[in-house]
Amino acid sequence: MPVSIPDYTAPALLRNRHLLTIFPSLFRKIQPAQYTRTRIPTADNDFIDLDFSKTGSRKLVIILHGLEGNSKRQYVTGMVHIFNEGGYDTVSMNFRGCSGESNNALRFYHSGETGDLQTVVDYVQKDYESLHIVGFSLGGNVTLKYIGEQGASIPASIRSAVAISVPVDLKDSSFELEKRHNFIYMKRFIRSLGEKLQVKARQYPEKISLNGFSSIRNFRQFDDRYTAPIHGFRDAEEYWAKNSSKQFLPRIAIPTLLINALDDPFLGKGSYPYAEAEANPNFHLETPATGGHVGFVTFSGKHYWSERRAFQFIHDHS
């Protein structure tokens, strides 16, 4: 049964879920990754910026960041370091508009956009004998949805995947983020997304209006007004329903691990898919009691527990 009890326990001083979530971004000291950037074109005349960190390996790990993240976030660079040290090349994918430069198209990125990941797979697979994917939060939802969509037809070069702190049920996790205890996160996300929209509004003034943006307080309002219509969905409900990765988990056909802490402040009850893991031998689920959202802080050694666990799982399936 691919549901197992993980061995992670948060440090005594960081047992609070919000401390675990915030601590890494504020206090973790980590060397920047030594990236080489490559810009690749998309079928719709746009571009994706990829940051490679190479060791000369024939094995590559594709790393996908979370909402409003990028390849420089500490959780991404931590994963880059452990895989480079273990003999893997990595490529950190910046979602459209997240690489420091606004993308060309009206559309940008969202929780279920798997076409760009396929573009990256097509670009890199000719140079590597095996590919693996690690996705965080929103990037984890993209990872799981992509693997489930592919099912048994997934490219033979893709051997395994790990997804960390993933809202596999977008609707109930969006509602969870609306709660009072998550106010600071929601405010930060909306502000950051608003900054990107300001750029888009200058690019497409006839398509995007920021009138009344200051009244937006949550993802339902944001997704109803912007994410859904820009990306071809009727409203937030349809966007969440079609892009939640939970419905794709039964079709996963390669070894895949999901790690969701039980104290993750971002996740609703629907993001703990025990039944799906019990029914699919390829889909493994680990739910530590602590960890926060993309936290899993460890004071012993230079790598966090989530990084060691991801490396172990992928190495076992290389």
Side-chain angles (χ1 to χ4, degrees):
M1 181 174 69
V3 176
S4 58
I5 300 174
D7 59 1
Y8 177 73
T9 301
L13 297 176
L14 292 177
R15 295 292 169 82
N16 179 278
R17 58 183 175 170
H18 297 294
L19 287 176
L20 281 165
T21 299
I22 296 170
F23 180 90
S25 62
L26 294 182
F27 300 109
R28 188 182 189 187
K29 305 299 182 184
I30 189 168
Q31 289 294 321
Q34 298 301 307
Y35 285 138
T36 300
R37 175 157 291 188
T38 299
R39 176 167 290 185
I40 63 173
T42 62
D44 59 347
N45 297 314
D46 208 343
F47 63 88
I48 302 168
D49 283 333
L50 305 178
D51 288 322
F52 285 89
S53 184
K54 296 185 178 182
T55 65
S57 177
R58 293 285 292 159
K59 300 176 291 185
L60 178 74
V61 179
I62 303 170
I63 303 175
L64 281 63
H65 62 78
L67 178 66
E68 288 304 276
N70 55 58
S71 65
K72 295 180 180 180
R73 291 297 173 90
Q74 54 80 25
Y75 58 86
V76 174
T77 54
M79 201 64 75
V80 169
H81 288 320
I82 195 169
F83 276 101
N84 283 170
E85 292 166 13
Y88 292 76
D89 283 7
T90 67
V91 59
S92 300
M93 174 184 174
N94 294 280
F95 292 124
R96 298 195 197 199
C98 294
S99 65
E101 180 180 340
S102 183
N103 62 303
N104 298 327
L106 172 63
R107 51 149 298 186
F108 39 107
Y109 74 103
H110 65 76
S111 295
E113 173 46 58
T114 55
D116 285 351
L117 177 54
Q118 183 63 61
T119 297
V120 175
V121 169
D122 292 341
Y123 178 79
V124 300
Q125 65 180 348
K126 65 182 182 300
D127 297 321
Y128 292 92
E129 63 184 22
S130 69
L131 304 178
H132 310 268
I133 307 174
V134 175
F136 296 92
S137 196
L138 176 148
N141 189 75
V142 173
T143 297
L144 296 174
K145 181 172 178 279
Y146 171 75
I147 295 169
E149 286 173 339
Q150 297 290 311
S153 299
I154 194 165
S157 59
I158 302 177
R159 306 292 174 77
S160 67
V162 175
I164 299 170
S165 300
V166 183
V168 299
D169 185 323
L170 295 174
K171 181 176 181 177
D172 79 343
S173 291
S174 293
F175 288 171
E176 191 68 26
L177 273 162
E178 289 181 23
K179 294 182 178 179
R180 183 183 297 272
H181 68 87
N182 283 322
F183 170 77
I184 189 170
Y185 309 118
M186 179 63 76
K187 184 176 181 180
R188 184 178 179 184
F189 283 139
I190 296 299
R191 181 176 67 246
S192 180
L193 289 165
E195 290 169 357
K196 280 191 170 63
L197 276 173
Q198 288 177 8
V199 177
K200 283 293 175 192
R202 290 193 292 270
Q203 290 177 286
Y204 295 92
E206 74 286 0
K207 299 274 183 75
I208 294 179
S209 171
L210 295 176
N211 292 335
F213 183 84
S214 60
S215 66
I216 291 179
R217 296 287 183 269
N218 55 54
F219 284 147
R220 175 183 285 279
Q221 294 169 338
F222 183 87
D223 291 340
D224 263 337
R225 182 169 177 184
Y226 296 107
T227 310
I230 287 174
H231 298 98
F233 303 103
R234 182 183 65 251
D235 52 21
E237 289 279 348
E238 183 179 65
Y239 162 59
W240 294 336
K242 290 189 174 180
N243 292 288
S244 293
S245 60
K246 188 174 184 177
Q247 63 196 304
F248 299 95
L249 301 179
R251 298 187 58 212
I252 287 176
I254 62 170
T256 299
L257 171 64
L258 170 61
I259 302 171
N260 276 354
L262 294 176
D263 68 345
D264 190 322
F266 292 15
L267 303 184
K269 293 180 180 179
S271 288
Y272 299 94
Y274 293 105
E276 287 81 357
E278 290 170 351
N280 184 346
N282 296 304
F283 175 55
H284 302 252
L285 174 64
E286 295 184 358
T287 55
T290 56
H293 188 74
V294 194
F296 305 104
V297 178
T298 308
F299 290 145
S300 58
K302 62 181 178 179
H303 297 300
Y304 279 8
W305 175 84
S306 51
E307 293 157 5
R308 296 199 300 266
R309 184 69 189 99
F311 178 84
Q312 178 188 27
F313 186 86
I314 284 177
H315 194 60
D316 287 345
H317 297 96
S318 290

